[in-house]
Amino acid sequence: MNWKFATFNVNGIRARLPVVLQWLEQHQPDVLCMQEIKAQEKDFPQGAFRDAGYSVSLRGQKSFNGVAIVSKKPAEELLCRLDEENPDEEARFIAGRFDGIWVVNTYVPQGRTPEDPAFRYKIDFLERLKRWFESRFDPGDRLIWAGDINVAPEDIDVFDPKRMEGEIGCHPAERQAFSRVKSWGFIDLYRKHHPNEKQFTFWDYRLPMSFKRNLGWRLDHILVTDPVARASLECMVDHELRGRDKPSDHTPVWAEFDLEKL
Amino acid sequence: MNWKFATFNVNGIRARLPVVLQWLEQHQPDVLCMQEIKAQEKDFPQGAFRDAGYSVSLRGQKSFNGVAIVSKKPAEELLCRLDEENPDEEARFIAGRFDGIWVVNTYVPQGRTPEDPAFRYKIDFLERLKRWFESRFDPGDRLIWAGDINVAPEDIDVFDPKRMEGEIGCHPAERQAFSRVKSWGFIDLYRKHHPNEKQFTFWDYRLPMSFKRNLGWRLDHILVTDPVARASLECMVDHELRGRDKPSDHTPVWAEFDLEKL
DNA sequence: GTGCATGTGG
DNA sequence: CCACATGCAC
């Protein structure tokens, strides 16, 4: 039986609700991770997802950030913070078990510029995440880490690597921090299926005509442990959405798995 | 040859542009007066109107008020302020000559409450308008005064005259001020064609379900001098627009004239 | 450029 | 309830 998974930085769930519902209707993923829902729990349109046949797990915050997982079956287990000791950390992390697979959904800080304190926070976030994986899981577990990681891992993942060298999203320090988390036991699923494809998942609103001119970044990722990678059939970026009327600046990434190979 | 005229408080031209363009496309008025465009000249979507075959004359202001006239032919003469001595008066007045007919488009102050200084300003505005008509025109001229007058002239023009007695829009002082301007030589064209109709042009957003329950006011008017009244064929309120998706709180009023009778 | 928060105005 | 202004973040 096939199992479908997707991740999408929606940039405001209230503004993007029609787009997301239509995408769910068409693609029927078993699990969809969303980032930048930009809503508190009380403002998240839970009813609309339930009516579409999806269960909602979410970690909200007023105005910024916020992550959610919607799934055909409710989470078998759920964790809403990376750091249980810190009750008012930003809403950038949620993890749940679905059909026996642990799904970790993150919205990694963007970091502003490499000089900004926010950049240090980004690196720290990735290091905390690495320790979190180490302490709870084994690379042989069924585990998916997905979301807006805000790092373009290689030069192929930016529209103009020369121009973007050392810039936010491409800085060696963040690439290395991301790489270190992956080295624990993750495979970049899009890159596994498409080793040489220059395919982006984000086009900045602020760059004039960025989508039309394909001035993008691959910042949204599906990372999986080895057993999950071996069960994977495909991983794709649905850039079509970005060309429509009121798009998010990001676009969905999805993957399909053969559960019998797991 | 028939000549079509309309007035519409759009409540923000930028928010209402698709609605207005579709209405123009369908109804093809020779002249449309708009109020509450809520835009400065530079922010008014002139290109969209030109593409639709309309010439634009406007008096804008940042954020509030603002009036415009769009017309199949450009204005033969144009006046943009009621009080030429006062350069920073609110953008509530524009007048132009089209096909030999003078069209005066006003957004009369709402007045807040009868106790508020804004109410005095409303009465004064109507009195200044009366003097303006007296000084420049004769009741025998071809003249149309239209717009959001913000007065329900008679009890029939409010959903609940008992409840609204003395309230803003129905207060005796503003009814009298409006009546005094009309007494110079204007005929209420909707009332001429529909003497006993209880038909509203405004339904407050803030009253729950006001449109569905028809809790409205007739505040938008087409006033004409006697020769124009004699050439008139019909005057109607297009309340259908108010029932759609993102409506203005007001709805268009239109009239048709036989130019050969003029 | 876009979404959201808050404040003003109707 | 709705539109617009300003301010913030990305």
Side-chain angles (χ1 to χ4, degrees):
Chain A
M1 207 198 93
N2 287 359
W3 193 81
K4 291 191 192 177
F5 174 88
T7 179
F8 184 20
N9 179 321
V10 296
N11 192 13
I13 188 57
R14 285 168 287 182
R16 215 68 59 217
L17 188 59
V19 174
V20 173
L21 290 176
Q22 206 208 341
W23 199 87
L24 281 177
E25 172 76 28
Q26 282 178 354
H27 294 263
Q28 297 290 330
D30 293 278
V31 171
L32 169 67
C33 294
M34 292 183 276
Q35 304 84 38
E36 285 205 88
I37 61 172
K38 292 183 174 178
Q40 293 166 275
E41 198 157 335
K42 70 173 178 63
D43 295 325
F44 189 97
Q46 301 220 21
F49 284 97
R50 278 200 221 98
D51 295 348
Y54 283 87
S55 187
V56 175
S57 309
L58 77 99
R59 168 91 166 90
Q61 173 184 337
K62 197 199 269 195
S63 208
F64 307 120
N65 310 320
V67 284
I69 307 177
V70 300
S71 51
K72 296 236 171 185
K73 299 177 210 160
E76 294 146 10
E77 262 186 274
L78 193 67
L79 294 164
C80 285
R81 36 203 78 193
L82 183 55
D83 180 357
E84 293 294 347
E85 257 80 280
N86 178 7
D88 44 39
E89 70 175 329
E90 293 179 327
R92 298 179 173 278
F93 174 94
I94 191 167
R97 189 160 48 80
F98 302 88
D99 297 301
I101 302 163
W102 268 97
V103 170
V104 178
N105 176 17
T106 61
Y107 173 48
V108 174
Q110 190 256 5
R112 292 165 152 273
T113 69
E115 297 75 37
D116 198 286
F119 189 71
R120 183 68 247 168
Y121 184 70
K122 179 180 196 169
I123 307 286
D124 289 346
F125 186 91
L126 289 165
E127 288 173 356
R128 283 158 61 205
L129 209 50
K130 178 164 186 274
R131 292 195 296 275
W132 189 85
F133 286 125
E134 287 169 344
S135 67
R136 297 188 163 250
F137 295 99
D138 183 276
D141 292 342
R142 293 165 178 190
L143 174 60
I144 300 176
W145 168 33
D148 178 358
I149 314 296
N150 261 321
V151 179
E154 311 279 346
D155 281 356
I156 192 181
D157 299 313
V158 219
F159 69 97
D160 186 343
K162 281 266 165 59
R163 175 172 157 192
M164 287 302 140
E165 199 180 346
E167 297 287 314
I168 199 70
C170 310
H171 193 278
E174 55 188 309
R175 282 180 170 175
Q176 194 169 52
F178 182 28
S179 172
R180 285 210 190 95
V181 194
K182 284 187 284 188
S183 73
W184 169 78
F186 284 113
I187 291 141
D188 180 334
L189 199 60
Y190 181 78
R191 205 36 92 212
K192 172 191 157 84
H193 287 278
H194 308 278
N196 304 305
E197 210 84 57
K198 193 156 184 155
Q199 173 62 62
F200 309 131
T201 66
F202 167 81
W203 295 264
D204 200 316
Y205 289 133
R206 290 166 293 179
L207 276 181
M209 312 296 291
S210 66
F211 182 64
K212 224 173 180 177
R213 298 158 66 204
N214 200 28
L215 309 180
W217 286 257
R218 191 172 70 95
L219 304 180
D220 302 87
H221 305 289
I222 300 174
L223 295 313
V224 299
T225 50
D226 181 65
V228 180
R230 280 191 275 104
S232 84
L233 301 166
E234 181 55 287
C235 181
M236 294 277 268
V237 174
D238 188 358
H239 66 279
E240 179 267 333
L241 267 189
R242 184 65 226 273
R244 296 209 216 153
D245 227 19
K246 291 195 93 222
S248 168
D249 44 0
H250 295 251
T251 199
V253 184
W254 60 263
E256 204 158 354
F257 304 89
D258 183 345
L259 283 192
E260 283 161 22
K261 289 192 187 161
L262 254 179
Chain B
M1 205 198 92
N2 286 359
W3 194 81
K4 290 191 192 178
F5 174 87
T7 178
F8 185 20
N9 178 321
V10 295
N11 191 12
I13 188 59
R14 286 168 287 182
R16 215 68 58 216
L17 187 60
V19 173
V20 173
L21 290 176
Q22 205 208 342
W23 198 87
L24 281 178
E25 171 76 28
Q26 282 178 354
H27 294 263
Q28 297 289 331
D30 294 277
V31 171
L32 169 66
C33 294
M34 291 182 278
Q35 305 83 37
E36 284 205 269
I37 60 171
K38 292 183 174 179
Q40 292 167 274
E41 199 157 334
K42 69 174 178 63
D43 296 325
F44 189 98
Q46 301 219 23
F49 284 97
R50 277 201 222 97
D51 295 348
Y54 283 87
S55 187
V56 176
S57 309
L58 78 100
R59 168 92 165 89
Q61 172 183 338
K62 197 199 271 197
S63 207
F64 308 119
N65 311 320
V67 285
I69 306 177
V70 299
S71 50
K72 297 234 173 190
K73 299 178 210 159
E76 295 148 9
E77 257 186 278
L78 191 68
L79 294 164
C80 286
R81 37 203 77 196
L82 183 55
D83 180 356
E84 293 293 347
E85 257 81 279
N86 177 8
D88 44 37
E89 72 175 326
E90 293 178 326
R92 299 179 171 278
F93 174 95
I94 191 168
R97 188 160 46 82
F98 303 89
D99 297 299
I101 302 164
W102 268 97
V103 170
V104 178
N105 176 17
T106 61
Y107 173 47
V108 175
Q110 190 258 3
R112 292 167 151 273
T113 68
E115 297 75 36
D116 198 287
F119 188 72
R120 183 69 248 165
Y121 184 69
K122 179 179 196 170
I123 306 286
D124 288 345
F125 186 92
L126 289 164
E127 287 174 356
R128 282 158 60 206
L129 209 50
K130 177 164 188 271
R131 291 196 297 275
W132 189 84
F133 286 124
E134 287 168 344
S135 67
R136 295 190 166 250
F137 295 98
D138 184 276
D141 292 341
R142 293 165 179 190
L143 176 59
I144 299 178
W145 168 34
D148 178 358
I149 313 297
N150 261 320
V151 179
E154 309 279 346
D155 281 355
I156 192 181
D157 299 312
V158 220
F159 68 97
D160 186 343
K162 281 265 164 61
R163 175 174 158 192
M164 288 302 139
E165 200 180 344
E167 299 286 316
I168 198 71
C170 308
H171 192 279
E174 54 188 309
R175 282 179 171 175
Q176 193 169 52
F178 182 28
S179 172
R180 283 210 192 95
V181 193
K182 285 187 284 188
S183 73
W184 168 78
F186 285 114
I187 291 141
D188 179 334
L189 201 59
Y190 181 79
R191 205 39 90 214
K192 171 192 157 84
H193 287 278
H194 307 278
N196 304 305
E197 210 83 55
K198 192 158 185 154
Q199 174 62 61
F200 309 132
T201 67
F202 166 81
W203 296 263
D204 200 317
Y205 289 133
R206 290 167 293 181
L207 275 181
M209 311 297 291
S210 66
F211 181 64
K212 224 171 180 179
R213 297 158 66 203
N214 200 27
L215 308 180
W217 285 256
R218 191 171 71 95
L219 304 180
D220 301 270
H221 305 289
I222 300 174
L223 295 313
V224 298
T225 49
D226 182 65
V228 180
R230 280 190 275 105
S232 84
L233 301 166
E234 180 55 287
C235 181
M236 294 278 267
V237 174
D238 188 358
H239 66 280
E240 180 267 335
L241 268 190
R242 183 65 226 271
R244 297 211 215 151
D245 227 19
K246 291 196 91 221
S248 167
D249 44 359
H250 294 251
T251 202
V253 184
W254 60 263
E256 203 158 353
F257 303 90
D258 183 346
L259 283 191
E260 282 161 23
K261 288 190 187 162
L262 253 178

